[in-house]
Amino acid sequence: MEESQRQKKIASVLQRDLVDILQKAATQGGMHGVLISVSKVKVTVDLSVAKVYLSIFPNNKAQELIVGIRSNAPLIRHELAQRTKNQLRRMPHLEFFVDDSLEYIDKIEQSLKGSDNPIDDPDLLDKRKKS
């Protein structure tokens, strides 16, 4: 099912404000050099839940940060509600997920550029076959 225009508008408002809130919280928390971007926000049809997909760089800090963000979700939701009080009547419940699409793309690039060439070494084909 395709998202309605209302869902898209709410998602864009949430995305814009969440980037600012999360980046400011990370720098105030002493995590300098960490880049947090909100890659996608999906709002349910009844506008009660917003799934927030975060892209975190460097990747090794992602799990640590997502645990901290999930534990502070009520505070983030409150801050977001304060910022959007003139635009939204009710603030959706926030669920945070790590968006690993950049990592997935990086692995594909590494395998394409890598030294594992199945033409030179036919034994590598057995590893690549789907079972």
Side-chain angles (χ1 to χ4, degrees), residues 31-37 39 54-67 97-110:
M31 299 198 97
H32 298 286
V34 175
L35 181 69
I36 302 173
S37 74
S39 57
L54 302 174
S55 183
I56 300 170
F57 184 79
N59 291 335
N60 58 354
K61 303 264 188 190
Q63 278 311 113
E64 176 188 344
L65 270 171
I66 201 74
V67 168
F97 302 96
V98 175
D99 183 16
D100 58 352
S101 60
L102 291 176
E103 190 175 326
Y104 179 72
I105 291 169
D106 191 43
K107 286 182 181 179
I108 291 174
E109 282 185 14
Q110 292 301 322

Side-chain angles (χ1 to χ4, degrees), residues 58-87:
N59 291 335
N60 58 354
K61 303 264 188 190
Q63 278 311 113
E64 176 188 344
L65 270 171
I66 201 74
V67 168
I69 288 170
R70 284 179 181 157
S71 66
N72 290 320
L75 295 172
I76 295 170
R77 184 175 183 223
H78 177 73
E79 174 74 23
L80 197 57
Q82 293 300 315
R83 289 176 180 233
T84 60
K85 64 183 174 188
N86 295 330
Q87 297 163 318

Side-chain angles (χ1 to χ4, degrees), residues 3 6-16 41-43:
E3 284 184 314
R6 180 83 174 136
Q7 285 173 289
K8 290 178 184 176
K9 283 183 182 179
I10 290 174
S12 69
V13 166
L14 294 177
Q15 185 175 6
R16 185 178 51 242
V41 176
K42 290 186 123 304
V43 181

Side-chain angles (χ1 to χ4, degrees), residues 80-96:
L80 197 57
Q82 293 300 315
R83 289 176 180 233
T84 60
K85 64 183 174 188
N86 295 330
Q87 297 163 318
L88 297 176
R89 207 176 288 160
R90 290 179 60 191
M91 178 56 56
H93 176 72
L94 301 174
E95 294 178 359
F96 294 97

